[in-house]
Amino acid sequence: MSGTLFIVTAPSGAGKTTLVHGLLQRNADLFLSVSHTTRAPREGEENGREYHFVDVDRFHTLRMAGEFIEWARVHGNYYGTSRSWLAAQLEQGRDTVLEIDWQGARQMREAFPDAVSIFVLPPSLAELEARLRGRGTDSEEVISRRLLAARGEMRHVQEFAYVIINAHLPAALDDLATIVQAARLRCASQRMRYPHYFAFLEQD
Ligand code: ADP
Ligand code: 5GP
C-alpha cells in the first residue's frame, strides 16, 4: 500500500503555502509534511504546525543520523523532510504533500519516480515582489535575498511535470485540485484504493 506523493515547489512568495492550505481545506484526506528548519519562526508560526523549528546543531545531528529523506540549504537556512514520518504516511496509503524547494524536489523525484511534481509560477517578478512585501513577514534584507534567488529557482520549472500560474487564486487552486484528482485516478492508484473493483483481474 502506498499513498501518492505530491511535491509543490515555487519561489518564495509565489503563493504555494496559500495554495496548499486551500487544497488541504478542500481535501480532508490529504496530509502535509511538516519539515524541520533552522529558520526562525515568523510571527504566527507554531512549532510543529508550520515547521519543526530546530537549531543548526540539532539539524545536523538529525541529518547525520539519516533522519532526512531529503534536505537542502535554502536562502541561508537548512530545511529537511522527515524520513520516518513520510515512510509511515505512505505505507498507510496516505496521499501526502511536500512543500519543498527545487533541490529537495530533485532528490525526492529520484527516490520516488511516481511522485507528482508541481511548480507554482508567479504571474511576474513584479507581482512576486509585491506579494513578498504584502505578506509582511520578512525583513527587507530577507525579501531582497529571496527576490534575487527567485529567477534562478524558476529556471528549474522544466524539471516539473505540472506548472500552475498563480495569477487568480481561485483558478490556481482549481488547477491544483485538478492535478491531485487526476493523479488519484491513475490506474495504479485506483487499483490500490479500490481493489474490489479490480477483483475480475484475478479471475480466469
Ligand atoms: P509562498 O509559500 O510561496 O512563499 P505565500 O503562500 O506565503 O507564498 O504567499 C505570499 C503572499 O501572496 C501571501 O500574502 C498570500 O496571501 C499572497 N498570495 C498568494 N496567492 C495570491 C494570488 N493568487 N493573488 C494575490 N496574492 C496572493
Ligand atoms: P520558507 O522559509 O519561506 O518557509 O521556505 C523557504 C523555502 O524552503 C521554500 O522554497 C520551501 O519550499 C523550502 N522548504 C521548506 N521545507 C523544506 C524541506 O523540507 N526541504 C526542502 N528541500 N526545502 C524546503
PDB file of all heavy atoms in Angstrom, residues 94-131:
ATOM      1  N   ARG A  94      -1.540   6.970   2.675  1.00  0.00           N
ATOM      2  CA  ARG A  94      -1.985   8.365   2.756  1.00  0.00           C
ATOM      3  C   ARG A  94      -1.326   9.232   1.694  1.00  0.00           C
ATOM      4  O   ARG A  94      -0.095   9.242   1.571  1.00  0.00           O
ATOM      5  CB  ARG A  94      -1.631   8.940   4.133  1.00  0.00           C
ATOM      6  CG  ARG A  94      -2.423   8.278   5.225  1.00  0.00           C
ATOM      7  CD  ARG A  94      -2.033   8.842   6.548  1.00  0.00           C
ATOM      8  NE  ARG A  94      -3.005   8.483   7.558  1.00  0.00           N
ATOM      9  CZ  ARG A  94      -2.920   8.841   8.825  1.00  0.00           C
ATOM     10  NH1 ARG A  94      -1.915   9.574   9.244  1.00  0.00           N
ATOM     11  NH2 ARG A  94      -3.845   8.469   9.681  1.00  0.00           N
ATOM     12  N   ASP A  95      -2.138   9.977   0.974  1.00  0.00           N
ATOM     13  CA  ASP A  95      -1.608  10.913  -0.026  1.00  0.00           C
ATOM     14  C   ASP A  95      -1.016  12.110   0.712  1.00  0.00           C
ATOM     15  O   ASP A  95      -1.674  12.711   1.567  1.00  0.00           O
ATOM     16  CB  ASP A  95      -2.717  11.362  -0.972  1.00  0.00           C
ATOM     17  CG  ASP A  95      -3.209  10.212  -1.841  1.00  0.00           C
ATOM     18  OD1 ASP A  95      -2.541   9.171  -1.857  1.00  0.00           O
ATOM     19  OD2 ASP A  95      -4.253  10.375  -2.497  1.00  0.00           O
ATOM     20  N   THR A  96       0.220  12.440   0.389  1.00  0.00           N
ATOM     21  CA  THR A  96       0.972  13.406   1.194  1.00  0.00           C
ATOM     22  C   THR A  96       1.590  14.493   0.325  1.00  0.00           C
ATOM     23  O   THR A  96       2.095  14.218  -0.761  1.00  0.00           O
ATOM     24  CB  THR A  96       2.089  12.645   1.963  1.00  0.00           C
ATOM     25  OG1 THR A  96       1.466  11.594   2.710  1.00  0.00           O
ATOM     26  CG2 THR A  96       2.841  13.546   2.911  1.00  0.00           C
ATOM     27  N   VAL A  97       1.520  15.718   0.834  1.00  0.00           N
ATOM     28  CA  VAL A  97       2.036  16.879   0.103  1.00  0.00           C
ATOM     29  C   VAL A  97       3.333  17.361   0.756  1.00  0.00           C
ATOM     30  O   VAL A  97       3.393  17.536   1.984  1.00  0.00           O
ATOM     31  CB  VAL A  97       1.012  18.047   0.136  1.00  0.00           C
ATOM     32  CG1 VAL A  97       1.540  19.245  -0.657  1.00  0.00           C
ATOM     33  CG2 VAL A  97      -0.346  17.605  -0.406  1.00  0.00           C
ATOM     34  N   LEU A  98       4.359  17.567  -0.063  1.00  0.00           N
ATOM     35  CA  LEU A  98       5.607  18.165   0.419  1.00  0.00           C
ATOM     36  C   LEU A  98       5.742  19.546  -0.210  1.00  0.00           C
ATOM     37  O   LEU A  98       5.645  19.678  -1.430  1.00  0.00           O
ATOM     38  CB  LEU A  98       6.828  17.345  -0.018  1.00  0.00           C
ATOM     39  CG  LEU A  98       6.924  15.887   0.349  1.00  0.00           C
ATOM     40  CD1 LEU A  98       8.284  15.337  -0.087  1.00  0.00           C
ATOM     41  CD2 LEU A  98       6.743  15.684   1.835  1.00  0.00           C
ATOM     42  N   GLU A  99       5.970  20.553   0.604  1.00  0.00           N
ATOM     43  CA  GLU A  99       6.252  21.916   0.098  1.00  0.00           C
ATOM     44  C   GLU A  99       7.747  22.109   0.253  1.00  0.00           C
ATOM     45  O   GLU A  99       8.214  22.466   1.340  1.00  0.00           O
ATOM     46  CB  GLU A  99       5.578  22.932   1.024  1.00  0.00           C
ATOM     47  CG  GLU A  99       4.252  23.456   0.605  1.00  0.00           C
ATOM     48  CD  GLU A  99       3.815  24.565   1.551  1.00  0.00           C
ATOM     49  OE1 GLU A  99       4.491  25.611   1.609  1.00  0.00           O
ATOM     50  OE2 GLU A  99       2.826  24.354   2.256  1.00  0.00           O
ATOM     51  N   ILE A 100       8.478  21.844  -0.806  1.00  0.00           N
ATOM     52  CA  ILE A 100       9.943  21.881  -0.685  1.00  0.00           C
ATOM     53  C   ILE A 100      10.556  22.619  -1.863  1.00  0.00           C
ATOM     54  O   ILE A 100       9.881  22.866  -2.855  1.00  0.00           O
ATOM     55  CB  ILE A 100      10.534  20.444  -0.558  1.00  0.00           C
ATOM     56  CG1 ILE A 100      10.154  19.601  -1.772  1.00  0.00           C
ATOM     57  CG2 ILE A 100      10.048  19.786   0.721  1.00  0.00           C
ATOM     58  CD1 ILE A 100      10.765  18.200  -1.750  1.00  0.00           C
ATOM     59  N   ASP A 101      11.831  22.952  -1.762  1.00  0.00           N
ATOM     60  CA  ASP A 101      12.465  23.718  -2.840  1.00  0.00           C
ATOM     61  C   ASP A 101      12.899  22.778  -3.977  1.00  0.00           C
ATOM     62  O   ASP A 101      12.763  21.561  -3.876  1.00  0.00           O
ATOM     63  CB  ASP A 101      13.651  24.533  -2.289  1.00  0.00           C
ATOM     64  CG  ASP A 101      14.915  23.716  -2.289  1.00  0.00           C
ATOM     65  OD1 ASP A 101      14.881  22.540  -1.844  1.00  0.00           O
ATOM     66  OD2 ASP A 101      15.956  24.212  -2.745  1.00  0.00           O
ATOM     67  N   TRP A 102      13.424  23.362  -5.057  1.00  0.00           N
ATOM     68  CA  TRP A 102      13.745  22.550  -6.248  1.00  0.00           C
ATOM     69  C   TRP A 102      14.829  21.509  -5.970  1.00  0.00           C
ATOM     70  O   TRP A 102      14.840  20.438  -6.579  1.00  0.00           O
ATOM     71  CB  TRP A 102      14.143  23.450  -7.422  1.00  0.00           C
ATOM     72  CG  TRP A 102      15.431  24.196  -7.222  1.00  0.00           C
ATOM     73  CD1 TRP A 102      15.571  25.431  -6.680  1.00  0.00           C
ATOM     74  CD2 TRP A 102      16.747  23.742  -7.540  1.00  0.00           C
ATOM     75  NE1 TRP A 102      16.900  25.780  -6.630  1.00  0.00           N
ATOM     76  CE2 TRP A 102      17.643  24.762  -7.151  1.00  0.00           C
ATOM     77  CE3 TRP A 102      17.253  22.574  -8.119  1.00  0.00           C
ATOM     78  CZ2 TRP A 102      19.021  24.638  -7.311  1.00  0.00           C
ATOM     79  CZ3 TRP A 102      18.627  22.457  -8.274  1.00  0.00           C
ATOM     80  CH2 TRP A 102      19.495  23.480  -7.880  1.00  0.00           C
ATOM     81  N   GLN A 103      15.748  21.805  -5.052  1.00  0.00           N
ATOM     82  CA  GLN A 103      16.814  20.835  -4.745  1.00  0.00           C
ATOM     83  C   GLN A 103      16.230  19.595  -4.059  1.00  0.00           C
ATOM     84  O   GLN A 103      16.576  18.458  -4.380  1.00  0.00           O
ATOM     85  CB  GLN A 103      17.850  21.463  -3.820  1.00  0.00           C
ATOM     86  CG  GLN A 103      18.468  22.741  -4.352  1.00  0.00           C
ATOM     87  CD  GLN A 103      19.285  23.445  -3.276  1.00  0.00           C
ATOM     88  OE1 GLN A 103      20.452  23.135  -3.090  1.00  0.00           O
ATOM     89  NE2 GLN A 103      18.678  24.370  -2.553  1.00  0.00           N
ATOM     90  N   GLY A 104      15.324  19.858  -3.120  1.00  0.00           N
ATOM     91  CA  GLY A 104      14.646  18.752  -2.435  1.00  0.00           C
ATOM     92  C   GLY A 104      13.747  17.991  -3.399  1.00  0.00           C
ATOM     93  O   GLY A 104      13.664  16.765  -3.351  1.00  0.00           O
ATOM     94  N   ALA A 105      13.081  18.735  -4.291  1.00  0.00           N
ATOM     95  CA  ALA A 105      12.192  18.099  -5.272  1.00  0.00           C
ATOM     96  C   ALA A 105      12.988  17.129  -6.137  1.00  0.00           C
ATOM     97  O   ALA A 105      12.546  16.016  -6.430  1.00  0.00           O
ATOM     98  CB  ALA A 105      11.521  19.169  -6.130  1.00  0.00           C
ATOM     99  N   ARG A 106      14.180  17.542  -6.510  1.00  0.00           N
ATOM    100  CA  ARG A 106      15.025  16.691  -7.348  1.00  0.00           C
ATOM    101  C   ARG A 106      15.375  15.391  -6.602  1.00  0.00           C
ATOM    102  O   ARG A 106      15.299  14.297  -7.151  1.00  0.00           O
ATOM    103  CB  ARG A 106      16.291  17.468  -7.690  1.00  0.00           C
ATOM    104  CG  ARG A 106      17.098  16.860  -8.760  1.00  0.00           C
ATOM    105  CD  ARG A 106      18.294  17.723  -9.072  1.00  0.00           C
ATOM    106  NE  ARG A 106      18.067  18.644 -10.161  1.00  0.00           N
ATOM    107  CZ  ARG A 106      18.998  19.484 -10.636  1.00  0.00           C
ATOM    108  NH1 ARG A 106      20.188  19.523 -10.075  1.00  0.00           N
ATOM    109  NH2 ARG A 106      18.734  20.262 -11.641  1.00  0.00           N
ATOM    110  N   GLN A 107      15.744  15.528  -5.332  1.00  0.00           N
ATOM    111  CA  GLN A 107      16.094  14.347  -4.533  1.00  0.00           C
ATOM    112  C   GLN A 107      14.884  13.415  -4.390  1.00  0.00           C
ATOM    113  O   GLN A 107      15.005  12.195  -4.461  1.00  0.00           O
ATOM    114  CB  GLN A 107      16.572  14.770  -3.140  1.00  0.00           C
ATOM    115  CG  GLN A 107      17.864  15.579  -3.138  1.00  0.00           C
ATOM    116  CD  GLN A 107      18.150  16.186  -1.760  1.00  0.00           C
ATOM    117  OE1 GLN A 107      18.149  15.512  -0.743  1.00  0.00           O
ATOM    118  NE2 GLN A 107      18.371  17.498  -1.720  1.00  0.00           N
ATOM    119  N   MET A 108      13.713  14.018  -4.196  1.00  0.00           N
ATOM    120  CA  MET A 108      12.517  13.195  -3.991  1.00  0.00           C
ATOM    121  C   MET A 108      12.099  12.481  -5.273  1.00  0.00           C
ATOM    122  O   MET A 108      11.627  11.348  -5.228  1.00  0.00           O
ATOM    123  CB  MET A 108      11.356  14.058  -3.474  1.00  0.00           C
ATOM    124  CG  MET A 108      11.549  14.560  -2.063  1.00  0.00           C
ATOM    125  SD  MET A 108      11.911  13.263  -0.857  1.00  0.00           S
ATOM    126  CE  MET A 108      10.373  12.381  -0.848  1.00  0.00           C
ATOM    127  N   ARG A 109      12.246  13.167  -6.414  1.00  0.00           N
ATOM    128  CA  ARG A 109      11.872  12.514  -7.682  1.00  0.00           C
ATOM    129  C   ARG A 109      12.755  11.309  -7.952  1.00  0.00           C
ATOM    130  O   ARG A 109      12.316  10.316  -8.511  1.00  0.00           O
ATOM    131  CB  ARG A 109      11.973  13.503  -8.839  1.00  0.00           C
ATOM    132  CG  ARG A 109      10.681  14.267  -9.097  1.00  0.00           C
ATOM    133  CD  ARG A 109      10.749  14.934 -10.459  1.00  0.00           C
ATOM    134  NE  ARG A 109      11.943  15.749 -10.549  1.00  0.00           N
ATOM    135  CZ  ARG A 109      11.973  17.061 -10.299  1.00  0.00           C
ATOM    136  NH1 ARG A 109      10.877  17.689  -9.966  1.00  0.00           N
ATOM    137  NH2 ARG A 109      13.095  17.729 -10.386  1.00  0.00           N
ATOM    138  N   GLU A 110      14.030  11.412  -7.528  1.00  0.00           N
ATOM    139  CA  GLU A 110      14.926  10.271  -7.715  1.00  0.00           C
ATOM    140  C   GLU A 110      14.493   9.107  -6.825  1.00  0.00           C
ATOM    141  O   GLU A 110      14.479   7.956  -7.242  1.00  0.00           O
ATOM    142  CB  GLU A 110      16.366  10.674  -7.394  1.00  0.00           C
ATOM    143  CG  GLU A 110      17.041  11.272  -8.609  1.00  0.00           C
ATOM    144  CD  GLU A 110      18.313  12.035  -8.271  1.00  0.00           C
ATOM    145  OE1 GLU A 110      18.935  11.742  -7.229  1.00  0.00           O
ATOM    146  OE2 GLU A 110      18.653  12.948  -9.046  1.00  0.00           O
ATOM    147  N   ALA A 111      14.123   9.426  -5.581  1.00  0.00           N
ATOM    148  CA  ALA A 111      13.730   8.379  -4.638  1.00  0.00           C
ATOM    149  C   ALA A 111      12.335   7.831  -4.951  1.00  0.00           C
ATOM    150  O   ALA A 111      12.058   6.656  -4.713  1.00  0.00           O
ATOM    151  CB  ALA A 111      13.785   8.917  -3.208  1.00  0.00           C
ATOM    152  N   PHE A 112      11.454   8.711  -5.463  1.00  0.00           N
ATOM    153  CA  PHE A 112      10.061   8.312  -5.738  1.00  0.00           C
ATOM    154  C   PHE A 112       9.683   8.741  -7.156  1.00  0.00           C
ATOM    155  O   PHE A 112       9.088   9.796  -7.347  1.00  0.00           O
ATOM    156  CB  PHE A 112       9.092   8.986  -4.750  1.00  0.00           C
ATOM    157  CG  PHE A 112       9.275   8.606  -3.320  1.00  0.00           C
ATOM    158  CD1 PHE A 112      10.163   9.305  -2.507  1.00  0.00           C
ATOM    159  CD2 PHE A 112       8.560   7.547  -2.768  1.00  0.00           C
ATOM    160  CE1 PHE A 112      10.335   8.955  -1.183  1.00  0.00           C
ATOM    161  CE2 PHE A 112       8.727   7.198  -1.448  1.00  0.00           C
ATOM    162  CZ  PHE A 112       9.617   7.895  -0.648  1.00  0.00           C
ATOM    163  N   PRO A 113      10.009   7.915  -8.149  1.00  0.00           N
ATOM    164  CA  PRO A 113       9.745   8.320  -9.542  1.00  0.00           C
ATOM    165  C   PRO A 113       8.258   8.561  -9.826  1.00  0.00           C
ATOM    166  O   PRO A 113       7.925   9.275 -10.766  1.00  0.00           O
ATOM    167  CB  PRO A 113      10.281   7.145 -10.361  1.00  0.00           C
ATOM    168  CG  PRO A 113      11.194   6.401  -9.442  1.00  0.00           C
ATOM    169  CD  PRO A 113      10.720   6.630  -8.051  1.00  0.00           C
ATOM    170  N   ASP A 114       7.377   7.981  -9.013  1.00  0.00           N
ATOM    171  CA  ASP A 114       5.936   8.189  -9.246  1.00  0.00           C
ATOM    172  C   ASP A 114       5.400   9.447  -8.582  1.00  0.00           C
ATOM    173  O   ASP A 114       4.197   9.743  -8.691  1.00  0.00           O
ATOM    174  CB  ASP A 114       5.130   6.989  -8.734  1.00  0.00           C
ATOM    175  CG  ASP A 114       5.329   5.776  -9.614  1.00  0.00           C
ATOM    176  OD1 ASP A 114       5.727   5.968 -10.783  1.00  0.00           O
ATOM    177  OD2 ASP A 114       5.111   4.649  -9.130  1.00  0.00           O
ATOM    178  N   ALA A 115       6.262  10.163  -7.868  1.00  0.00           N
ATOM    179  CA  ALA A 115       5.799  11.390  -7.216  1.00  0.00           C
ATOM    180  C   ALA A 115       5.289  12.369  -8.265  1.00  0.00           C
ATOM    181  O   ALA A 115       5.797  12.427  -9.379  1.00  0.00           O
ATOM    182  CB  ALA A 115       6.945  12.010  -6.419  1.00  0.00           C
ATOM    183  N   VAL A 116       4.278  13.135  -7.888  1.00  0.00           N
ATOM    184  CA  VAL A 116       3.681  14.120  -8.801  1.00  0.00           C
ATOM    185  C   VAL A 116       4.282  15.478  -8.459  1.00  0.00           C
ATOM    186  O   VAL A 116       4.082  15.993  -7.359  1.00  0.00           O
ATOM    187  CB  VAL A 116       2.150  14.150  -8.611  1.00  0.00           C
ATOM    188  CG1 VAL A 116       1.520  15.196  -9.519  1.00  0.00           C
ATOM    189  CG2 VAL A 116       1.555  12.766  -8.864  1.00  0.00           C
ATOM    190  N   SER A 117       5.061  16.045  -9.403  1.00  0.00           N
ATOM    191  CA  SER A 117       5.754  17.286  -9.058  1.00  0.00           C
ATOM    192  C   SER A 117       5.099  18.485  -9.746  1.00  0.00           C
ATOM    193  O   SER A 117       4.777  18.448 -10.932  1.00  0.00           O
ATOM    194  CB  SER A 117       7.239  17.185  -9.411  1.00  0.00           C
ATOM    195  OG  SER A 117       7.431  17.082 -10.793  1.00  0.00           O
ATOM    196  N   ILE A 118       4.905  19.525  -8.957  1.00  0.00           N
ATOM    197  CA  ILE A 118       4.142  20.700  -9.400  1.00  0.00           C
ATOM    198  C   ILE A 118       4.952  21.956  -9.078  1.00  0.00           C
ATOM    199  O   ILE A 118       5.415  22.117  -7.939  1.00  0.00           O
ATOM    200  CB  ILE A 118       2.806  20.763  -8.632  1.00  0.00           C
ATOM    201  CG1 ILE A 118       2.023  19.460  -8.784  1.00  0.00           C
ATOM    202  CG2 ILE A 118       1.971  21.983  -9.077  1.00  0.00           C
ATOM    203  CD1 ILE A 118       1.019  19.198  -7.674  1.00  0.00           C
ATOM    204  N   PHE A 119       5.114  22.812 -10.067  1.00  0.00           N
ATOM    205  CA  PHE A 119       5.826  24.078  -9.837  1.00  0.00           C
ATOM    206  C   PHE A 119       4.818  25.219  -9.926  1.00  0.00           C
ATOM    207  O   PHE A 119       4.011  25.277 -10.858  1.00  0.00           O
ATOM    208  CB  PHE A 119       6.934  24.266 -10.880  1.00  0.00           C
ATOM    209  CG  PHE A 119       7.979  25.268 -10.472  1.00  0.00           C
ATOM    210  CD1 PHE A 119       9.150  24.865  -9.844  1.00  0.00           C
ATOM    211  CD2 PHE A 119       7.786  26.623 -10.707  1.00  0.00           C
ATOM    212  CE1 PHE A 119      10.120  25.792  -9.460  1.00  0.00           C
ATOM    213  CE2 PHE A 119       8.749  27.558 -10.320  1.00  0.00           C
ATOM    214  CZ  PHE A 119       9.917  27.136  -9.692  1.00  0.00           C
ATOM    215  N   VAL A 120       4.868  26.123  -8.959  1.00  0.00           N
ATOM    216  CA  VAL A 120       3.972  27.285  -8.960  1.00  0.00           C
ATOM    217  C   VAL A 120       4.761  28.508  -9.403  1.00  0.00           C
ATOM    218  O   VAL A 120       5.752  28.882  -8.773  1.00  0.00           O
ATOM    219  CB  VAL A 120       3.381  27.527  -7.553  1.00  0.00           C
ATOM    220  CG1 VAL A 120       2.456  28.746  -7.573  1.00  0.00           C
ATOM    221  CG2 VAL A 120       2.642  26.289  -7.054  1.00  0.00           C
ATOM    222  N   LEU A 121       4.308  29.115 -10.503  1.00  0.00           N
ATOM    223  CA  LEU A 121       4.959  30.331 -11.015  1.00  0.00           C
ATOM    224  C   LEU A 121       4.121  31.557 -10.644  1.00  0.00           C
ATOM    225  O   LEU A 121       2.888  31.508 -10.732  1.00  0.00           O
ATOM    226  CB  LEU A 121       5.041  30.283 -12.542  1.00  0.00           C
ATOM    227  CG  LEU A 121       6.180  29.521 -13.201  1.00  0.00           C
ATOM    228  CD1 LEU A 121       6.002  29.575 -14.720  1.00  0.00           C
ATOM    229  CD2 LEU A 121       7.545  30.077 -12.806  1.00  0.00           C
ATOM    230  N   PRO A 122       4.771  32.647 -10.273  1.00  0.00           N
ATOM    231  CA  PRO A 122       4.021  33.902 -10.109  1.00  0.00           C
ATOM    232  C   PRO A 122       3.754  34.473 -11.501  1.00  0.00           C
ATOM    233  O   PRO A 122       4.475  34.144 -12.450  1.00  0.00           O
ATOM    234  CB  PRO A 122       5.004  34.792  -9.339  1.00  0.00           C
ATOM    235  CG  PRO A 122       6.349  34.310  -9.797  1.00  0.00           C
ATOM    236  CD  PRO A 122       6.210  32.830 -10.073  1.00  0.00           C
ATOM    237  N   PRO A 123       2.746  35.324 -11.652  1.00  0.00           N
ATOM    238  CA  PRO A 123       2.481  35.875 -12.987  1.00  0.00           C
ATOM    239  C   PRO A 123       3.597  36.782 -13.485  1.00  0.00           C
ATOM    240  O   PRO A 123       3.758  36.963 -14.699  1.00  0.00           O
ATOM    241  CB  PRO A 123       1.166  36.648 -12.817  1.00  0.00           C
ATOM    242  CG  PRO A 123       0.957  36.796 -11.355  1.00  0.00           C
ATOM    243  CD  PRO A 123       1.723  35.723 -10.671  1.00  0.00           C
ATOM    244  N   SER A 124       4.381  37.364 -12.570  1.00  0.00           N
ATOM    245  CA  SER A 124       5.527  38.195 -12.973  1.00  0.00           C
ATOM    246  C   SER A 124       6.438  38.371 -11.763  1.00  0.00           C
ATOM    247  O   SER A 124       6.021  38.132 -10.615  1.00  0.00           O
ATOM    248  CB  SER A 124       5.058  39.578 -13.436  1.00  0.00           C
ATOM    249  OG  SER A 124       4.520  40.279 -12.323  1.00  0.00           O
ATOM    250  N   LEU A 125       7.663  38.841 -12.022  1.00  0.00           N
ATOM    251  CA  LEU A 125       8.585  39.089 -10.900  1.00  0.00           C
ATOM    252  C   LEU A 125       8.116  40.294 -10.087  1.00  0.00           C
ATOM    253  O   LEU A 125       8.301  40.338  -8.867  1.00  0.00           O
ATOM    254  CB  LEU A 125      10.005  39.289 -11.426  1.00  0.00           C
ATOM    255  CG  LEU A 125      10.687  37.985 -11.866  1.00  0.00           C
ATOM    256  CD1 LEU A 125      11.986  38.272 -12.614  1.00  0.00           C
ATOM    257  CD2 LEU A 125      10.978  37.081 -10.666  1.00  0.00           C
ATOM    258  N   ALA A 126       7.494  41.264 -10.767  1.00  0.00           N
ATOM    259  CA  ALA A 126       6.988  42.441 -10.043  1.00  0.00           C
ATOM    260  C   ALA A 126       5.888  42.024  -9.061  1.00  0.00           C
ATOM    261  O   ALA A 126       5.839  42.486  -7.917  1.00  0.00           O
ATOM    262  CB  ALA A 126       6.450  43.461 -11.042  1.00  0.00           C
ATOM    263  N   GLU A 127       5.030  41.100  -9.512  1.00  0.00           N
ATOM    264  CA  GLU A 127       3.954  40.624  -8.623  1.00  0.00           C
ATOM    265  C   GLU A 127       4.548  39.787  -7.473  1.00  0.00           C
ATOM    266  O   GLU A 127       4.072  39.857  -6.339  1.00  0.00           O
ATOM    267  CB  GLU A 127       2.942  39.807  -9.442  1.00  0.00           C
ATOM    268  CG  GLU A 127       1.839  39.140  -8.634  1.00  0.00           C
ATOM    269  CD  GLU A 127       0.898  40.094  -7.893  1.00  0.00           C
ATOM    270  OE1 GLU A 127       0.875  41.306  -8.231  1.00  0.00           O
ATOM    271  OE2 GLU A 127       0.206  39.637  -6.966  1.00  0.00           O
ATOM    272  N   LEU A 128       5.604  39.045  -7.797  1.00  0.00           N
ATOM    273  CA  LEU A 128       6.263  38.258  -6.735  1.00  0.00           C
ATOM    274  C   LEU A 128       6.770  39.198  -5.638  1.00  0.00           C
ATOM    275  O   LEU A 128       6.571  38.952  -4.435  1.00  0.00           O
ATOM    276  CB  LEU A 128       7.422  37.463  -7.335  1.00  0.00           C
ATOM    277  CG  LEU A 128       8.124  36.502  -6.369  1.00  0.00           C
ATOM    278  CD1 LEU A 128       7.223  35.323  -6.036  1.00  0.00           C
ATOM    279  CD2 LEU A 128       9.426  35.988  -6.961  1.00  0.00           C
ATOM    280  N   GLU A 129       7.409  40.269  -6.061  1.00  0.00           N
ATOM    281  CA  GLU A 129       7.944  41.247  -5.108  1.00  0.00           C
ATOM    282  C   GLU A 129       6.788  41.858  -4.283  1.00  0.00           C
ATOM    283  O   GLU A 129       6.885  41.973  -3.053  1.00  0.00           O
ATOM    284  CB  GLU A 129       8.698  42.348  -5.865  1.00  0.00           C
ATOM    285  CG  GLU A 129       9.281  43.389  -4.932  1.00  0.00           C
ATOM    286  CD  GLU A 129      10.301  44.295  -5.626  1.00  0.00           C
ATOM    287  OE1 GLU A 129      10.559  44.113  -6.829  1.00  0.00           O
ATOM    288  OE2 GLU A 129      10.831  45.176  -4.936  1.00  0.00           O
ATOM    289  N   ALA A 130       5.714  42.190  -4.960  1.00  0.00           N
ATOM    290  CA  ALA A 130       4.561  42.789  -4.270  1.00  0.00           C
ATOM    291  C   ALA A 130       4.010  41.813  -3.221  1.00  0.00           C
ATOM    292  O   ALA A 130       3.641  42.215  -2.109  1.00  0.00           O
ATOM    293  CB  ALA A 130       3.483  43.157  -5.280  1.00  0.00           C
ATOM    294  N   ARG A 131       3.974  40.530  -3.564  1.00  0.00           N
ATOM    295  CA  ARG A 131       3.435  39.533  -2.616  1.00  0.00           C
ATOM    296  C   ARG A 131       4.362  39.353  -1.422  1.00  0.00           C
ATOM    297  O   ARG A 131       3.895  39.198  -0.289  1.00  0.00           O
ATOM    298  CB  ARG A 131       3.205  38.201  -3.331  1.00  0.00           C
ATOM    299  CG  ARG A 131       2.013  38.281  -4.236  1.00  0.00           C
ATOM    300  CD  ARG A 131       1.700  36.941  -4.873  1.00  0.00           C
ATOM    301  NE  ARG A 131       0.724  37.150  -5.937  1.00  0.00           N
ATOM    302  CZ  ARG A 131       0.361  36.233  -6.801  1.00  0.00           C
ATOM    303  NH1 ARG A 131       0.897  35.015  -6.743  1.00  0.00           N
ATOM    304  NH2 ARG A 131      -0.531  36.501  -7.736  1.00  0.00           N
TER     305      ARG A 131
END
